[in-house]
Amino acid sequence: MKEIKINTDSRNYPVLVGTNILSENNLKEFSNKEILLVIDSKIEESVKKEVQITLSNISLKYSELTIEASEENKSSKTLSIIHDLLIEKSYSRDCILFALGGGIICDMTGFAAATFLRGVDFVLIPSTLLSQVDASVGGKTAINHPKGKNMIGAFHQPSKVITDTKLLKSLEKVQIREGLAEIIKHALIKDEAFFKWLEENIEDLIEGNDVKLLEAIYKSIEIKAEVVSQDETEQGIRKWLNFGHTFGHAIEVYGNYKRFSHGEAVALGMIMATNLSQKILNLGKKEIDKIKQLIYSILSEELLKSEFQPNDLVRLMSADKKKKGDSLNFILLSSIGEAQILSDIQESDIIESIKLT
Ligand code: GLY
């Protein structure tokens, strides 16, 4: 087992990364606490039992709540269900919320913790590759509003994150590919050597090779940890983590959140952001080919045949930024491992970049 330290202005905390690490030993600081465990309904039975037994054994008071993870359920209604339970059972400010699940459960449990009694502690046990390398690190917590994803939220860092690759065993291949999109993103914005390693090992990673996945997760969290430790509330460098996301969010809306998963949309968005990087920052042809080759390898042929009306995608991008009171920024690459934040990009350049070749 390895430990990565996240040191933000508001809190320092460890991310434990390993296989078979959900033992009492790694949870002993939560003994004699009031615990609420929020469980993703898709969690495999044996993992669920293990966590349930450990937490109920060590706690002073224990309750649990199972939630079906969907964007629709990442709502104020579900948030109220969590808060109602805490209030009905007289949980105090000293309680700890645990999330056992994917990104939706991690984000929502974090926001419930941020808002209950003006903020209580929480611990994340992310269960998907995507949540292990992304949602569980960084302290952005949120629920959706009918007008947009993650519109209601807070920065609230967890007390601890336990990233156990044993939980990945039950994932489908498509979920592994989704997580790989964010892993590739981390390499592209900050670490050329890691990008090379990914090129060499991508087939094993897609196949779910335990040892290689563990290494990729560790390296990826290390990169995200370094970025969020420098810029907890996204005033500058943390924006780099949005590489591929300006296009990606618009792609998700374009497909009504059904046609493309988050990871797929980010992967497609990274191809477009790479095209824009060529136009704006003269990213070299050789590097572009390598980036696209790696991204193509995690996408299905069907996805790569997706077509977009460029004007519609640009409209969706602008609408999303307007709703959030942001300007339209793009994270672009000057080379592999070197990112920059750019604004004031001409619409014609954005439109030209909207292609998957
Ligand atoms: N919770 C995800 C992040 O902070 O980026």
Side-chain angles (χ1 to χ4, degrees), residues 43-273:
I43 292 290
E44 206 209 339
E45 203 57 36
S46 65
V47 171
K48 190 164 86 178
K49 277 236 164 69
E50 185 182 355
V51 178
Q52 282 169 325
I53 291 170
T54 310
L55 292 182
S56 57
N57 275 346
I58 62 167
S59 60
L60 179 69
K61 167 151 117 187
Y62 173 83
S63 309
E64 61 181 51
L65 196 59
T66 300
I67 293 172
E68 200 186 309
S70 65
E71 290 296 340
E72 216 179 344
N73 284 348
K74 194 179 174 183
S75 62
S76 54
K77 195 169 155 205
T78 314
L79 183 74
S80 290
I81 294 174
I82 302 175
H83 285 156
D84 287 351
L85 189 150
L86 291 165
I87 292 165
E88 270 159 29
K89 302 213 171 195
S90 306
Y91 273 76
S92 74
R93 288 204 66 195
D94 202 27
C95 73
I96 302 187
L97 274 53
F98 276 75
L100 173 60
I104 290 176
I105 298 298
C106 290
D107 281 6
M108 201 156 46
T109 304
F111 189 57
T115 44
F116 179 60
L117 299 176
R118 297 197 183 89
V120 299
D121 288 344
F122 71 112
V123 173
L124 297 175
I125 307 175
S127 63
T128 59
L129 184 59
L130 187 59
S131 60
Q132 293 193 344
V133 296
D134 194 21
S136 62
V137 181
K140 280 187 185 174
T141 69
I143 54 169
N144 298 334
H145 182 273
K147 293 266 182 228
K149 234 176 124 172
N150 296 329
M151 292 282 285
I152 318 286
F155 286 99
H156 187 53
Q157 303 291 343
S159 305
K160 190 170 199 173
V161 182
I162 305 177
T163 298
D164 192 331
T165 57
K166 178 174 74 177
L167 275 64
L168 305 179
K169 282 271 165 249
S170 54
L171 294 188
E172 290 169 22
K173 278 234 168 79
V174 60
Q175 290 176 290
I176 297 286
R177 287 169 187 260
E178 257 203 275
L180 287 172
E182 295 283 358
I183 291 174
I184 292 172
K185 178 198 78 180
H186 287 142
L188 283 174
I189 59 164
K190 225 173 174 309
D191 196 325
E192 191 185 2
F194 182 41
F195 181 86
K196 283 198 181 121
W197 183 88
L198 287 172
E199 281 182 306
E200 282 158 19
N201 293 286
I202 197 69
E203 290 309 325
D204 288 341
L205 291 165
I206 292 170
E207 288 307 316
N209 178 303
D210 292 351
V211 179
K212 301 266 167 83
L213 273 176
L214 192 61
E215 208 169 328
I217 292 166
Y218 180 78
K219 189 69 214 162
S220 193
I221 296 176
E222 220 180 27
I223 294 169
K224 185 159 184 189
E226 201 188 319
V227 172
V228 300
S229 294
Q230 279 181 55
D231 178 19
E232 180 177 14
T233 54
E234 204 170 301
Q235 306 303 311
I237 182 180
R238 188 169 175 164
K239 291 190 174 92
W240 290 4
L241 296 168
N242 294 333
F243 179 66
H245 283 60
T246 305
F247 288 106
H249 286 149
I251 292 170
E252 280 185 276
V253 181
Y254 194 92
N256 287 323
Y257 290 108
K258 291 195 174 77
R259 208 167 126 205
F260 309 101
S261 69
H262 177 71
E264 289 166 347
V266 166
L268 297 174
M270 288 195 294
I271 298 173
M272 296 174 190

